[in-house]
Amino acid sequence: MPNNKRKNRGNKNKEVTMTPSNEKDTPIQDYEDDDIEEMQEADLKKLIRTLRSSQKQILELQKSLMDKIENLSRENEILRRNQNETKQLVQQETGIVTEVKNSIDQMKNTIESLTNRMGEAEERILDLEDREQERIQSDQRKEEEIRNLKHIVRNLQDTIKKPNIRVLGVPEGMEREKGLEGLFSEILAENFPGLEKDREILVQEAHRTPNKHDQKRSSPRHVVIKLSTVKHKEKILKCAREKRQITLRGSPIRLTVDFSPETLQARREWRDIAQVLREKNCQPRILYPAKLSFVNEGEIKTFHSKQKLKEFVATRPALQQMLKDVLHTETQKHGHQYERR
């Protein structure tokens, strides 16, 4: 029996011996102590080499695992750091987004406030424009009223002055002997003998204008003669126009209508135009109180203002060519007057 055991163990040892020792994947078998004792020396050496090789593989495997664990630790650390950095970046971006949102909210509030203020400003501007328009209309109404009042006053003055004759060129102090009424009778006797005997021609009042004499004034003050009727005034002036040269004690004087200052100025503004029309034989006349009359294409035309004259001239090429220089000059004068104002 013992021999059979040994044989069997020997067979087992032979099986161990047949296992290649250089294969790394060969599993390590479990040996009992009796088996190890019965092994031959060569088999023990092989077993030792196998154990050493396995131990070496285990150590290499352990080292590899440790390296992997270390790499995983490093990667985990990197991931952790990246996670922290990402978290910080997310926090920063969240803070930035919050700041941007707050800024947008502030801008919205500012824009809303500005929009409200602009709306209020527009309402104020509209209100001011309405007030300005009302003021302009009020000023225009006042100006129109003033013009109407001036026109009424001018007409009243011209009506009051209608029977008057204005005498120009009578030397200062000449009236001391006979008075102004006596001087006027002397003018009639010297220039219109037939009128001097007309007892119906009565002088109601006579005075110089202005009332106070200015010593620096080179020309004498005008003499204003107020007659009883307008008919007598027109009769005397008609005779003066026919005679043309009127004198007092041999010195030339002038007899003219007595108008308000505004009417005199209006009549003066027709002079240049009347002079050009006179040169073209258009028979111009300055009618009472300040109207221009002349003959055009066989018809008598009368104008109360230069604007009406310009509108008419624009439809008459020949007349427009005739008056273009004088009308252009008048336009420039009015423009300069407006700029000075």
Side-chain angles (χ1 to χ4, degrees):
M1 289 297 292
N3 292 329
N4 292 331
K5 287 182 181 180
R6 289 178 182 173
K7 288 180 181 179
N8 292 332
R9 289 176 181 172
N11 292 332
K12 289 179 182 181
N13 290 337
K14 288 180 181 178
E15 290 176 1
V16 172
T17 303
M18 292 174 65
T19 303
S21 62
N22 57 351
E23 292 182 5
K24 292 182 180 181
D25 296 334
T26 302
I28 299 174
Q29 298 180 1
D30 293 334
Y31 295 97
E32 296 181 358
D33 294 337
D34 295 337
D35 294 332
I36 294 174
E37 290 177 356
E38 294 178 358
M39 284 183 182
Q40 296 181 3
E41 184 179 355
D43 293 333
L44 287 173
K45 288 182 180 180
K46 289 181 180 180
L47 178 60
I48 290 170
R49 283 195 299 269
T50 301
L51 291 174
R52 287 179 178 175
S53 177
S54 299
Q55 186 181 12
K56 185 177 180 181
Q57 290 178 8
I58 290 170
L59 291 174
E60 289 178 355
L61 180 59
Q62 184 181 6
K63 184 179 179 182
S64 176
L65 289 173
M66 292 300 294
D67 291 339
K68 289 182 179 180
I69 291 171
E70 186 177 355
N71 290 334
L72 287 173
S73 298
R74 283 197 297 268
E75 291 178 359
N76 187 33
E77 181 66 20
I78 292 172
L79 288 174
R80 188 180 62 79
R81 290 179 182 176
N82 291 339
Q83 185 178 6
N84 291 334
E85 291 178 358
T86 303
K87 186 177 180 180
Q88 292 177 357
L89 289 174
V90 169
Q91 290 176 350
Q92 292 176 359
E93 291 178 356
T94 303
I96 294 172
V97 170
T98 303
E99 291 178 1
V100 171
K101 184 178 179 181
N102 293 335
S103 299
I104 291 174
D105 291 338
Q106 291 178 358
M107 291 176 66
K108 286 181 178 179
N109 294 333
T110 303
I111 292 172
E112 184 177 356
S113 176
L114 289 174
T115 302
N116 294 333
R117 293 175 63 182
M118 287 177 63
E120 294 175 357
E122 288 177 355
E123 290 179 358
R124 292 180 182 177
I125 291 172
L126 291 174
D127 184 54
L128 290 175
E129 288 178 350
D130 292 340
R131 292 183 181 180
E132 180 66 14
Q133 187 64 28
E134 291 176 358
R135 187 191 65 79
I136 292 173
Q137 292 177 354
S138 176
D139 290 344
Q140 290 176 346
R141 287 193 297 269
K142 289 179 181 178
E143 290 177 358
E144 183 65 23
E145 290 175 359
I146 291 172
R147 283 194 295 269
N148 292 336
L149 289 174
K150 286 183 177 180
H151 183 69
I152 292 172
V153 171
R154 171 180 164 182
N155 289 339
L156 288 173
Q157 289 179 337
D158 290 336
T159 300
I160 294 172
K161 293 174 177 289
K162 201 166 186 180
N164 295 357
I165 291 179
R166 187 176 285 253
V167 185
L168 287 66
V170 178
E172 293 283 346
M174 186 177 284
E175 66 272 18
R176 292 174 184 170
E177 298 179 4
K178 298 182 179 181
L180 293 174
E181 294 181 9
L183 285 178
F184 185 69
S185 298
E186 187 175 343
I187 292 170
L188 294 181
E190 184 174 338
N191 295 277
F192 320 112
L195 294 179
E196 193 271 336
K197 297 178 181 180
D198 191 345
R199 300 300 178 182
E200 294 182 357
I201 299 177
L202 300 176
V203 177
Q204 291 187 340
E205 183 183 341
H207 65 275
R208 282 189 182 269
T209 183
N211 293 330
K212 188 175 181 180
H213 177 55
D214 186 1
Q215 298 295 334
K216 296 180 180 180
R217 185 184 176 95
S218 59
S219 59
R221 292 174 293 166
H222 298 175
V223 175
V224 177
I225 305 296
K226 184 176 182 180
L227 301 176
S228 58
T229 64
V230 176
K231 181 178 69 174
H232 294 152
K233 178 204 73 172
E234 293 176 348
K235 188 175 183 179
I236 293 171
L237 292 178
K238 181 180 179 182
C239 293
R241 286 193 296 270
E242 292 174 352
K243 190 173 186 300
R244 294 188 179 181
Q245 185 65 39
I246 309 299
T247 59
L248 174 61
R249 300 179 184 178
S251 299
I253 60 172
R254 285 179 56 202
L255 301 181
T256 183
V257 181
D258 185 29
F259 290 113
S260 64
E262 293 79 11
T263 301
L264 283 174
Q265 180 61 32
R267 291 173 69 88
R268 291 191 190 102
E269 291 178 357
W270 288 119
R271 287 181 180 176
D272 294 339
I273 297 174
Q275 179 63 31
V276 174
L277 294 172
R278 190 174 292 108
E279 292 173 357
K280 301 298 181 179
N281 298 320
C282 293
Q283 303 175 23
R285 292 183 61 193
I286 299 177
L287 305 178
Y288 181 88
K291 297 181 288 186
L292 176 67
S293 174
F294 62 91
V295 176
N296 179 254
E297 298 179 357
E299 297 181 359
I300 298 176
K301 301 293 182 180
T302 304
F303 301 94
H304 297 78
S305 66
K306 288 184 179 180
Q307 183 61 34
K308 295 295 182 182
L309 174 62
K310 290 179 182 179
E311 293 174 1
F312 175 76
V313 167
T315 63
R316 300 292 191 277
L319 190 60
Q320 187 176 19
Q321 182 67 24
M322 184 190 307
L323 297 176
K324 67 176 183 178
D325 293 334
V326 65
L327 288 178
H328 179 67
T329 303
E330 289 292 332
T331 303
Q332 287 183 330
K333 286 181 181 179
H334 286 293
H336 292 322
Q337 291 176 357
Y338 178 78
E339 290 177 356
R340 285 196 295 271
R341 289 176 185 175

